[in-house]
């Protein structure tokens, strides 16, 4: 048993996923922990993740977790994932009384489908561990001597964990404060851009398809005639401004350098990726022959969702009232090409209000991957979205929060 006067004093800044996890594990390791949160409640961003259901991790192997992380950051997170992986996350929440379920793509959710239950579980565990939770407490600055300055007082600790999040969903309190603290302590903050975010398109016809989801389509993104990202089979959603959906959000995390703050890419959608051009042509011939007396727009109705039919027929340039048996070979082959290469042009990413995660952040070259401690300031740790380490959609980014939060909190208590 650690005596009270021997306890390490740890201050955690930020009451989101990474901050709460760091606080819990610092306290479990025997530290006297204070968590500072500027909002009036904890976990505001957790409440809106997974459309309010909270996709809290992806039940993947450590290798798969690494593969889901952008570029070299996967290597940086190797140690964190080795110390705390998806199985550990699942075990933690279930032992804390939160029942989980696995859905498509190995995504894990609370059985209740309530994101609030995730926050309640974490909050309950912090109370059990006697973490001093201070809400409505805004941190003004963090200094190299580990003094933490709030609007009312200056706090001192043996170690400090910065887990203030990024810039995504600023309404949750993610306003970039942690980047300023990091720079004030000598750290480099790599260029910041919204990630896992929808895209704007210049074509007006996308607005006619607002709300339409296309599942199992192929999507290819090209810049300067070079393919920069592709997904053989994915899901896409049309919006009033452009495109969204899992495949688009994933692509955004790979294309931020091209599209933010401005840029252009061409998007080609293969509406029938399971069929080759020849197979699709034969299918179209059968449809036209089977409805030979009908107008073209009605003859192809079985090929597409109802909302898409008038748009794609208009894009084809074929008279919608032309009889199916009058469609020429040239028109038919042109229509097949359109189905396999429905093209639109993206003009940039949407803003921070719609971004799931922040791309960029505190340079991980300045962080010890085994402890999340700064290589520049002893006793200063980082966890979660503030780090320059983001991943694909599907629960991976919250797993980064849990893994880095665990490592930072445990190591902070051992200082």
């Amino acid at each position: 048993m650690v005596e009270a006067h021997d306890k390490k004093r740890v201050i955690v800044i930020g009451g989101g996923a990474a901050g709460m996890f760091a606080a819990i594990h610092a306290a479990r390791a025997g530290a006297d922990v204070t968590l500072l949160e500027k909002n009036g409640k904890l976990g505001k961003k957790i409440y809106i993740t997974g459309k309010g259901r909270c996709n809290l991790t992806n039940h993947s192997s450590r290798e798969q977790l690494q593969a889901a992380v952008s570029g070299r950051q996967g290597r940086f997170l190797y140690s964190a994932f080795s110390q705390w992986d998806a199985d550990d996350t699942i075990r933690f929440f279930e032992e804390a009384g939160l029942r989980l379920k696995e859905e498509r793509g190995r995504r894990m959710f609370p059985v209740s489908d309530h994101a609030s239950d995730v926050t309640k579980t974490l909050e309950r565990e912090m109370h059990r561990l006697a973490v001093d939770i201070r809400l409505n407490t805004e941190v003004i600055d963090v200094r190299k001597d580990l003094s933490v300055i709030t609007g009312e007082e200056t706090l001192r600790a043996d170690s400090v964990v910065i887990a203030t999040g990024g810039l995504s969903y600023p309404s949750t309190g993610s306003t970039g404060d942690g980047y300023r603290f990091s720079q004030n302590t000598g750290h480099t903050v790599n260029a910041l851009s919204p990630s896992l975010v929808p895209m704007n398109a210049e074509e007006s016809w996308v607005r006619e398809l607002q709300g339409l989801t296309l599942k199992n389509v192929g999507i290819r993104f090209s810049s300067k005639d070079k393919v920069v990202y592709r997904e053989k089979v994915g899901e896409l959603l049309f919006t009033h401004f452009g495109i969204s959906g899992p495949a688009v959000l994933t692509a955004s995390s790979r294309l931020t350098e091209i599209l933010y703050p401005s840029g252009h890419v061409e998007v080609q959608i293969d509406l029938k990726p399971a069929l080759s051009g020849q197979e699709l042509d034969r299918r179209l011939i059968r449809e036209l022959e089977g409805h030979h007396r009908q107008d073209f727009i009605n003859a192809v109705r079985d090929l597409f969702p109802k909302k898409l039919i008038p748009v794609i027929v208009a894009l084809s340039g074929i008279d919608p009232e032309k009889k199916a048996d009058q469609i020429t070979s040239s028109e038919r082959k042109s229509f097949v090409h359109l189905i396999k290469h429905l093209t639109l042009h993206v003009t940039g990413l949407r803003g921070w209000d719609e971004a799931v995660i922040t791309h960029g952040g505190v340079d991980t070259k300045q962080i010890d991957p085994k402890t999340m401690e700064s290589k520049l300031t002893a006793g200063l740790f980082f966890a979660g979205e503030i780090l320059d380490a983001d991943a694909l959609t599907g629960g991976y980014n919250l797993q980064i929060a849990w893994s880095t939060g665990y490592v930072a909190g445990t190591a902070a208590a051992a200082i």
Side-chain angles (χ1 to χ4, degrees):
M1 184 74 176
V2 179
E3 295 296 330
H5 62 273
D6 292 328
K7 282 189 173 185
K8 301 296 183 183
R9 179 158 170 70
V10 176
I11 294 176
V12 178
I13 307 171
M20 287 190 282
F21 225 55
I24 286 168
H25 287 95
R28 284 187 173 187
D32 180 4
V33 182
T34 298
L35 184 145
L36 308 177
E37 168 55 52
K38 70 178 181 180
N39 288 312
K41 66 178 182 179
L42 298 166
K44 285 192 74 174
K45 190 174 179 184
I46 290 176
Y47 282 96
I48 59 175
T49 60
K51 297 179 180 178
R53 296 172 59 223
C54 190
N55 174 196
L56 57 83
T57 190
N58 191 288
H59 198 186
S60 298
S61 67
R62 295 170 188 175
E63 292 73 23
Q64 290 169 324
L65 293 176
Q66 274 186 270
V69 180
S70 302
R72 63 180 177 82
Q73 307 308 346
R75 294 191 296 275
F76 169 76
L77 289 170
Y78 175 84
S79 180
F81 288 150
S82 296
Q83 294 179 64
W84 189 275
D85 61 14
D87 286 333
D88 294 313
T89 298
I90 293 167
R91 189 179 308 110
F92 169 88
F93 280 103
E94 291 191 330
E95 288 180 352
L98 183 66
R99 294 174 58 221
L100 304 179
K101 60 181 176 179
E102 184 172 325
E103 296 189 2
R104 181 175 55 86
R106 309 208 75 182
R107 298 172 301 160
M108 301 299 298
F109 293 87
V111 169
S112 67
D113 282 331
H114 293 147
S116 59
D117 288 339
V118 176
T119 300
K120 289 175 184 175
T121 301
L122 296 168
E123 193 168 2
R124 189 166 57 244
E125 181 64 5
M126 286 193 291
H127 285 307
R128 187 184 73 80
L129 293 164
V131 173
D132 179 13
I133 301 170
R134 303 187 187 182
L135 302 177
N136 298 305
T137 303
E138 184 171 5
V139 174
I140 307 301
D141 199 7
V142 178
R143 294 180 178 164
K144 289 185 178 181
D145 65 358
L146 303 185
S147 56
V148 177
I149 302 168
T150 72
E152 299 178 351
E153 60 184 329
T154 297
L155 304 173
R156 301 189 183 278
D158 297 298
S159 54
V160 173
V161 180
I162 298 179
T164 49
L167 288 173
S168 59
Y169 292 130
S171 61
T172 65
S174 298
T175 52
D177 298 341
Y179 299 128
R180 177 167 50 82
F181 305 154
S182 304
Q183 290 172 325
N184 289 349
T185 52
H187 296 83
T188 300
V189 175
N190 294 334
L192 305 170
S193 58
S195 187
L196 300 184
V197 64
M199 300 178 181
N200 292 313
E202 66 180 32
E203 282 76 10
S204 59
W205 55 260
V206 300
R207 290 193 287 273
E208 298 175 49
L209 299 177
Q210 180 180 348
L212 174 64
T213 295
L214 297 179
K215 296 182 178 181
N216 302 318
V217 295
I219 308 171
R220 184 173 68 183
F221 295 79
S222 302
S223 176
K224 300 176 181 178
D225 298 322
K226 179 182 179 182
V227 176
V228 289
Y229 181 81
R230 76 165 71 226
E231 196 157 324
K232 291 183 179 179
V233 181
E235 183 176 320
L236 176 146
L237 168 68
F238 288 101
T239 69
H240 67 283
F241 53 76
I243 52 176
S244 186
V248 173
L249 299 186
T250 296
S252 75
S253 72
R254 300 298 194 238
L255 303 179
T256 52
E257 293 181 5
I258 298 174
L259 290 174
Y260 188 81
S262 63
H264 294 78
V265 295
E266 181 182 272
V267 181
Q268 287 192 347
I269 304 167
D270 183 350
L271 296 171
K272 302 292 181 181
L275 300 177
S276 67
Q278 289 182 332
E279 291 169 331
L280 180 58
D281 190 35
R282 289 195 291 269
R283 169 75 188 279
L284 183 56
I285 289 172
R286 291 197 301 271
E287 293 295 328
L288 294 176
E289 289 177 346
H291 304 88
H292 64 281
R293 295 181 179 179
Q294 295 185 15
D295 293 345
F296 175 65
I297 194 168
N298 294 321
V300 298
R301 64 180 182 271
D302 293 336
L303 289 173
F304 313 104
K306 184 177 180 180
K307 203 169 190 176
L308 179 58
I309 295 169
V311 173
I312 198 162
V313 169
L315 291 173
S316 75
I318 299 172
D319 182 350
E321 296 182 355
K322 189 173 185 178
K323 297 304 178 184
D325 58 5
Q326 295 178 2
I327 300 299
T328 66
S329 172
S330 175
E331 287 175 324
R332 191 187 73 241
K333 290 180 178 179
S334 177
F335 193 57
V336 167
H337 185 272
L338 175 63
I339 295 170
K340 299 289 285 183
H341 303 85
L342 179 60
T343 302
L344 56 84
H345 297 85
V346 164
T347 58
L349 302 177
R350 300 289 285 177
W352 291 108
D353 287 347
E354 298 175 58
V356 174
I357 200 76
T358 303
H359 180 77
V362 175
D363 194 335
T364 54
K365 293 177 183 177
Q366 298 171 342
I367 309 297
D368 184 340
K370 295 180 180 179
T371 61
M372 296 297 137
E373 184 177 15
S374 166
K375 294 178 180 178
L376 309 180
T377 303
L380 184 62
F381 297 79
F382 297 88
E385 192 177 347
I386 191 170
L387 294 163
D388 183 6
D390 60 289
L392 305 179
T393 184
Y396 298 107
N397 287 289
L398 267 177
Q399 183 57 49
I400 292 175
W402 310 133
S403 295
T404 57
Y406 167 80
V407 171
T410 302
I415 281 289

